[in-house]
Amino acid sequence: DTEVTQTPKHLVMGMTNKKSLKCEQHMGHRAMYWYKQKAKKPPELMFVYSYEKLSINESVPSRFSPECPNSSLLNLHLHALQPEDSALYLCASSQAPTGSYEQYFGPGTRLTVT
Amino acid sequence: DQQVKQNSPSLSVQEGRISILNCDYTNSMFDYFLWYKKYPAEGPTFLISISSIKDKNEDGRFTVFLNKSAKHLSLHIVPSQPGDSAVYFCAAPKASGTYKYIFGTGTRLKVLA
């Protein structure tokens, strides 16, 4: 099973709402990632969890709050977002860096902030 | 500072012909490179990778070539098929053994039937 699943597929939220994005993988990967992708741009790294601990935060605004409840799950909690936060949010996972480098991506959540 | 660059935003190729997608990088410390393919409304899918100790890696119709002195890599698809139409990203870990991947800006490949 090389699948990373993400829910929901689409999300529309107002600037005062609180919502969460969810990601799950069952490949035994110990690194999980959140990326943001705007149209016609490459994915931009937001957060990395390694062995369920936050190891990289790319200076992401605090209105985005990641959480890794266990080795298979990754959440991104959203609060008080801005319209410019509208984008495709991608989750990915990979083995530890000493092994294979390939990241497996989920299909993404298309977020629209109104 | 774009450390991984794909200078061709788009490429059109006839079905059955070779597609060549190019990627340049600026950091000579990069030692591993990956290619991903992305269809609309889907996440990127890993295609093929190459370590800096090699200059070529082949997997079926896909071959990646690495020219370290020129800091250049290319992805060859032979023969190209309409299903190959997608956006292709090259990527590199920012430093050996880290989780930080730098992605190129992508090249949109269109394979014409």
Side-chain angles (χ1 to χ4, degrees), chain B residues 11-64:
Chain B
L11 174 69
S12 290
V13 169
Q14 209 63 37
E15 181 180 6
R17 293 298 207 32
I18 183 171
S19 295
I20 300 177
L21 296 100
N22 294 305
C23 180
D24 296 297
Y25 60 97
T26 56
N27 190 336
S28 56
M29 299 299 290
F30 287 163
D31 61 2
Y32 199 85
F33 302 89
L34 309 95
W35 283 95
Y36 285 86
K37 176 166 85 170
K38 186 178 185 302
Y39 294 117
E42 292 185 16
T45 304
F46 169 72
L47 256 184
I48 192 169
S49 60
I50 189 164
S51 162
S52 60
I53 62 171
K54 293 186 172 183
D55 53 20
K56 177 182 171 181
N57 189 25
E58 198 170 347
D59 183 1
R61 296 186 297 114
F62 301 92
T63 303
V64 56

Side-chain angles (χ1 to χ4, degrees), chain A residues 31 33 35 37 40-43 45 48 50-51 55-56 58 88 90 94-97 101-103 105-107, chain B residues 2 31-32 34 36 38 41-46 49 89 93 95-101 103-106 108:
Chain A
Y33 310 74
Y35 285 88
Q37 186 175 25
K40 301 190 179 179
K41 298 283 188 186
L45 183 65
V48 181
S50 170
Y51 294 89
S55 65
I56 295 176
E58 288 287 275
L88 180 68
L90 294 162
S94 72
Q95 297 178 17
Y101 280 97
E102 294 93 85
Q103 293 184 342
F105 284 83
Chain B
Q2 189 67 30
D31 61 2
Y32 199 85
L34 309 95
Y36 285 86
K38 186 178 185 302
E42 292 185 16
T45 304
F46 169 72
S49 60
F89 292 98
S96 180
T98 73
Y99 298 105
K100 225 168 163 174
Y101 292 74
F103 282 82
T105 47
R108 182 175 301 279

Side-chain angles (χ1 to χ4, degrees), chain A residues 4-114:
Chain A
V4 176
T5 58
Q6 288 187 245
T7 54
K9 275 194 160 176
H10 301 274
L11 178 63
V12 179
M13 60 186 288
M15 290 190 284
T16 57
N17 291 160
K18 278 187 183 180
K19 296 283 184 186
S20 297
L21 310 184
K22 296 186 183 305
C23 174
E24 192 165 2
Q25 58 89 12
H26 294 287
M27 293 177 276
H29 289 168
R30 303 312 298 268
M32 294 186 77
Y33 310 74
W34 280 114
Y35 285 88
K36 173 181 173 178
Q37 186 175 25
K38 296 277 234 181
K40 301 190 179 179
K41 298 283 188 186
E44 284 178 42
L45 183 65
M46 298 174 73
F47 302 104
V48 181
Y49 272 83
S50 170
Y51 294 89
E52 294 131 66
K53 288 189 173 20
L54 183 65
S55 65
I56 295 176
N57 175 342
E58 288 287 275
S59 303
V60 179
S62 59
R63 56 186 185 268
F64 295 91
S65 173
E67 179 198 18
C68 190
N70 61 53
S71 60
S72 301
L73 292 173
L74 186 67
N75 298 322
L76 186 64
H77 302 297
L78 315 172
H79 174 54
L81 294 194
Q82 305 295 311
E84 59 264 29
D85 296 322
S86 299
L88 180 68
Y89 288 84
L90 294 162
C91 172
S93 70
S94 72
Q95 297 178 17
T98 52
S100 150
Y101 280 97
E102 294 93 85
Q103 293 184 342
Y104 293 84
F105 284 83
T109 294
R110 173 74 57 191
L111 174 68
T112 304
V113 182
T114 60

Side-chain angles (χ1 to χ4, degrees), chain B residues 63-79:
Chain B
T63 303
V64 56
F65 295 92
L66 176 62
N67 181 335
K68 288 188 288 291
S69 59
K71 298 196 190 75
H72 176 82
L73 60 154
S74 59
L75 174 68
H76 292 213
I77 307 173
V78 183

